[in-house]
Amino acid sequence: MTTTSAVDIAVLGAGPYGLSLAAHLGPTHRSVKVFGQTMSFWRDHMPKGMCLKSDGFASSLSAPGEGFTLQAWSKAQGLPYADMGLPVPLETFCDYAEAFQRRLVPDVDPRLVRSVQHEGDHFALTLPDGSTLQARRVVVATGIQPFAHVPEALRALPASHVSHSSDHTDLSRFAGRHVAVLGGGASAGDTAGLLQVGGARAELVSRHPVRFHNPPGGPRSLAQRVRKPDSGLGPGWKSFLCTHFPLIFHAMPESLRLRAVARHLGPAPGWFVRDQVVGKLPVHTGWQLRTAQLEGDQVTLDFLAGDGSRQQLRVDHVIAATGYRNDLDQLGFLAPSLRERIRTVARTPVLDRNFQSSVPGLYFAGAIAANSFGPLLRFAYGADFTARRLARALA
Ligand SMILES: Cc1cc2nc3c(=O)[nH]c(=O)nc-3n(C[C@H](O)[C@H](O)[C@H](O)COP(=O)(O)OP(=O)(O)OC[C@H]3O[C@@H](n4cnc5c(N)ncnc54)[C@H](O)[C@@H]3O)c2cc1C
C-alpha cells in the first residue's frame, strides 16, 4: 500500500551542499524534508587514506550564525587543524560533516528518491518503498557520482579488469597486483599513490603533464598577496574573483562562463601527494589511450605517446581516474517528462540567480550549477554562498 504526505521543500542530497542548505532553512522552515545518505560520496566513493585538496579553512559546511566549522569541531575533538598547510584527512572531514548533520540537520531521511515528477503546482516524489511525497519545491543536490566518466576504449572490458576511481574505498585489495591508473588529476594522484603505498605495482598514465599543486610557503608579503591573493580555491586573482563574485560570474555571457568553467582549476593532484608519486612509481605523461584488450587474465593498453611512438602496458587492472562529466540526463530519478522541460546548456540546467531552473520550483545546487555560478560550485567551499542565497530565495 502506498502512502502520500506533503512538504513545502524537499532537498535531495545529504552532502556538503544539501546539509548546508538544510541548516540554513532549519530555523525558518518547518516543512522541509532532506533525503540522502549523509556524506555517502565521501565515505563510499573516495579512497581511504586520502586527504582533502581544499585547505582547512575552505572545508567547512555552512550554517547560520557562528556556524559549526571544521576548525571549531577539530579543536573540540583535540584534533590537529590549520587554516592552510595541514591537509585534512578524509576520515576527519567525514566525521566532522556527520557531526554537523547530527547537530544541525538531525532528521535526514536516508532513502534515495526514486523518481521526481511534476504534477500541476507540485512535484511528486516516489521513494524506494513505493510511498510518495508531494513537495512544492525541490532542490537537487545529489553531487557528481552519477557523472563518473570512463573512456570509450575501456567500456567493453569486464568490471573485474576495469573500474572507475569512484568504485574504490579500500585499495588494499590490489596489493601485489599491477595496476594502471589513467588520469592526471587529484583522483589519479591519490589512487596511484595509495595503491603503491598499499603494496600494488601502480603506473600513472596521463595525457597531459601532471601538475601538482604548489605547497603553501610560509607567510607571504603584502606584495605577494596583492599579486596572488588567497582564496578558498587557492591563490590567484581568478580564484579570488570566483569565490567573491559568483553573481557577477552569473551575469557574464554564457560562452565566457562555459570557457571559464572548463579551463579554470583543471586537474591537479594536491601538493602533499607528490611525495607518494614522484620517484615512487612510473609516471607516463603525454600518452593517449588508443585501445584496450583483455588478453588472458591481463589487459593490454595501447597508447600514442607525445613523440608519435606507440607504447604498451600489460596490467592486471585499469583504474580510470578520468573524472566526472556533468550530464542532466544521467539523473535517472528525474522523470523524462520533467527532464525534457529543463532548459540546458552543455548538459547542465540553465539556472536563474536563485538557482531555479526553467521549471518553476525546481532548483539545482553543487557542481551541476557551476556553468551558472562558476568553478566555486565544484567545491565544498561554494556551499556557503549557495546555502545562504538559496535559503533566502526559498524562505
Ligand atoms: C576524489 C575527489 C576528491 C575531492 N576533494 C575535494 C576537496 O578536497 N575539497 C572540496 O571542496 N571538494 C572536493 N571534491 C569535490 C566534491 O565532490 C564536492 O565538493 C562535494 O562532494 C560536493 O558536495 P555535494 O553536496 O554537491 O554532493 P555529494 O557530497 O556528492 O553528496 C550527494 C548526496 O546526494 C545523495 N543522493 C544521491 N542520489 C540521491 C537521490 N536519488 N535521492 C536523494 N539523495 C540522493 C547522496 O546520498 C549524498 O548524500 C572532490 C571530489 C573527488 C571526486
Side-chain angles (χ1 to χ4, degrees), residues 77-372:
Q77 300 298 310
L79 292 172
Y81 170 88
D83 278 344
M84 295 171 88
L86 184 65
V88 180
L90 174 62
E91 190 68 22
T92 300
F93 182 60
C94 291
D95 289 349
Y96 153 70
E98 285 165 5
F100 179 104
Q101 179 260 306
R102 284 193 300 275
R103 161 107 47 121
L104 294 156
V105 197
D107 291 330
V108 172
D109 185 327
R111 289 176 294 177
L112 301 185
V113 173
R114 211 172 60 198
S115 96
V116 181
Q117 319 231 18
H118 199 200
E119 293 180 351
D121 61 350
H122 68 268
F123 296 89
L125 279 56
T126 307
L127 298 163
D129 61 3
S131 61
T132 57
L133 175 83
Q134 290 185 358
R136 216 160 57 82
R137 276 107 38 107
V138 170
V139 180
V140 177
T142 47
I144 55 175
Q145 214 277 317
F147 309 139
H149 170 73
V150 174
E152 181 79 46
L154 297 176
R155 288 185 203 156
L157 294 176
S160 52
H161 287 75
V162 67
S163 53
H164 188 266
S165 50
S166 65
D167 294 332
H168 305 289
T169 50
D170 184 1
L171 292 166
S172 66
R173 65 174 255 235
F174 290 106
R177 302 183 72 202
H178 187 190
V179 184
V181 179
L182 308 189
S187 297
D190 288 332
T191 303
L194 290 167
L195 278 168
Q196 191 75 9
V197 168
R201 187 151 71 87
E203 301 205 33
L204 182 59
V205 187
S206 170
R207 285 181 300 170
H208 305 293
V210 180
R211 297 198 172 87
F212 294 88
H213 277 195
N214 291 324
R220 300 193 307 142
S221 69
L222 180 64
Q224 283 171 322
R225 277 182 284 136
V226 169
R227 255 198 321 275
K228 273 192 160 198
D230 287 327
S231 87
L233 302 185
W237 274 105
K238 277 190 196 163
S239 292
F240 182 89
L241 294 172
C242 286
T243 53
H244 285 76
F245 303 109
L247 286 178
I248 292 187
F249 190 95
H250 186 277
M252 287 176 1
E254 186 176 275
S255 58
L256 214 60
R257 276 187 280 121
L258 297 183
R259 211 166 51 230
V261 171
R263 291 190 184 168
H264 188 49
L265 301 173
W271 57 270
F272 44 86
V273 178
R274 180 190 289 270
D275 287 348
Q276 288 185 354
V277 172
V278 176
K280 302 283 170 43
L281 54 98
V283 178
H284 311 287
T285 57
W287 286 21
Q288 175 99 34
L289 179 65
R290 305 301 299 270
T291 60
Q293 273 179 0
L294 193 60
E295 290 178 3
D297 200 28
Q298 289 198 304
V299 181
T300 302
L301 300 167
D302 267 305
F303 299 93
L304 181 65
D307 61 5
S309 65
R310 269 190 63 200
Q311 302 290 339
Q312 207 173 62
L313 287 179
R314 262 177 85 79
V315 294
D316 300 318
H317 192 92
V318 190
I319 297 182
T322 39
Y324 301 81
R325 297 200 176 162
N326 286 323
D327 182 357
L328 191 78
D329 285 341
Q330 298 301 320
L331 298 183
F333 57 83
L334 296 175
S337 56
L338 175 56
R339 248 180 290 155
E340 273 166 21
R341 293 184 43 218
I342 303 171
R343 199 155 77 78
T344 59
V345 58
R347 297 181 175 270
T348 61
V350 173
L351 303 176
D352 72 9
R353 286 165 57 88
N354 290 324
F355 294 85
Q356 188 168 217
S357 70
S358 56
V359 176
L362 182 64
Y363 300 77
F364 289 85
I368 200 162
N371 284 335
S372 295

Side-chain angles (χ1 to χ4, degrees), residues 13-17 36-37 40-42 52-54 113 142-143 187 379-380:
Y17 279 80
Q37 289 161 0
S40 59
F41 182 56
W42 300 77
L52 267 63
K53 209 166 75 159
S54 49
V113 173
T142 47
S187 297
F379 300 89

